């Protein structure tokens, strides 16, 4: 929110260089990634664990669709915060039988512990995009 304070929606939608992500694209990516985590967590609890990671949160098609649904920087930021709140709610609702499956629980926990790092990495990208 601090990085985007005073940044116009027009500037937030402009990539710094052709082919780069704008601030809006970065926020859309963070939203898509958070939503993917929700789906992945739910599948893990249901014992439907993927053989490989298949995060699709970088597809421009998906990012543009998120931006279309939330066209302003503030709308994107609020949606990202809502998705983070949903992640916390899912963590708080993990059933005991899942927690008791130590290997799965550890895999989920180690991924979730790194989620804030993923977001922080993209903060620099947002700063660069709105300079």
């Amino acid at each position: 929110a601090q990085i985007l304070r005073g940044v116009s929606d027009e500037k937030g939608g402009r990539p710094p260089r052709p082919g780069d992500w704008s601030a809006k694209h970065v926020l859309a990516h963070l939203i898509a990634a958070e939503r993917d985590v929700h789906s992945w967590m739910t599948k893990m609890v249901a014992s439907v664990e993927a053989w490989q990671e298949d995060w699709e949160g970088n597809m421009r098609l998906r990012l543009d669709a998120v931006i279309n649904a939330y066209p302003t920087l503030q709308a994107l930021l609020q949606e990202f915060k809502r998705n983070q709140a949903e992640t916390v709610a899912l963590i708080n609702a993990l059933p005991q039988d899942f927690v008791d499956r130590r290997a799965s629980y550890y895999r989920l926990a180690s991924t979730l512990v790194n989620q804030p790092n993923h977001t922080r990495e993209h903060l620099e990208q947002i700063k660069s995009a709105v300079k």
Side-chain angles (χ1 to χ4, degrees):
Q2 290 174 343
I3 295 169
L4 296 174
R5 190 169 286 127
V7 175
S8 70
D9 287 322
E10 190 274 322
K11 185 171 188 170
R14 193 177 333 125
R17 288 172 297 287
D20 285 354
W21 283 354
S22 68
K24 287 183 178 182
H25 283 105
V26 176
L27 285 169
H29 164 74
L30 292 171
I31 291 166
E34 204 74 20
R35 290 175 179 172
D36 287 345
V37 165
H38 301 161
S39 177
W40 177 72
M41 287 176 68
T42 305
K43 287 177 184 175
M44 286 195 68
V45 169
S47 297
V48 182
E49 296 188 40
W51 287 65
Q52 66 184 32
E53 302 301 339
D54 59 349
W55 307 107
E56 305 92 18
N58 293 334
M59 290 185 68
R60 191 63 168 246
L61 171 76
R62 187 169 185 199
L63 302 182
D64 289 341
V66 171
I67 293 169
N68 186 60
Y70 306 96
T72 67
L73 289 169
Q74 284 307 306
L76 287 162
L77 187 58
Q78 290 306 310
E79 181 61 13
F80 179 51
K81 288 179 181 181
R82 278 190 285 274
N83 279 270
Q84 287 180 311
E86 187 174 336
T87 301
V88 171
L90 281 166
I91 293 167
N92 289 332
L94 289 173
Q96 189 61 45
D97 65 319
F98 174 76
V99 174
D100 292 341
R101 291 187 351 237
R102 290 297 190 205
S104 296
Y105 181 67
Y106 177 81
R107 183 172 172 218
L108 183 134
S110 64
T111 298
L112 293 177
V113 165
N114 285 307
Q115 277 299 100
N117 292 331
H118 175 247
T119 300
R120 278 191 286 277
E121 289 170 5
H122 285 295
L123 292 180
E124 291 303 318
Q125 192 177 8
I126 292 171
K127 284 181 190 176
S128 293
V130 297
K131 273 201 273 188

